[in-house]
Amino acid sequence: MMGTLVVGAIVAVVVVLAVRSMIIDKKNGKSIQCGGDCKHCGGHCH
């Protein structure tokens, strides 16, 4: 039971950090779809 809780907490922290990183990248003008260089997609990824 304790191991399950620890692993669940670790997974939750990793997910939160990943989402936070994606939000920060989006605010800084980076995008997964454009590879961080939106001049190639004409700005359609924002």
Side-chain angles (χ1 to χ4, degrees), residues 8-28:
I10 292 171
V11 170
V13 168
V14 169
V15 169
V16 167
L17 290 175
V19 170
R20 181 175 170 256
S21 174
M22 289 176 8
I23 291 170
I24 290 171
D25 285 349
K26 184 72 170 176
K27 286 182 180 180
N28 288 334

Side-chain angles (χ1 to χ4, degrees), residues 25-44:
D25 285 349
K26 184 72 170 176
K27 286 182 180 180
N28 288 334
K30 297 178 184 175
S31 176
I32 295 171
Q33 291 86 9
C34 295
D37 187 9
C38 288
K39 69 182 177 185
H40 295 293
C41 69
H44 300 293

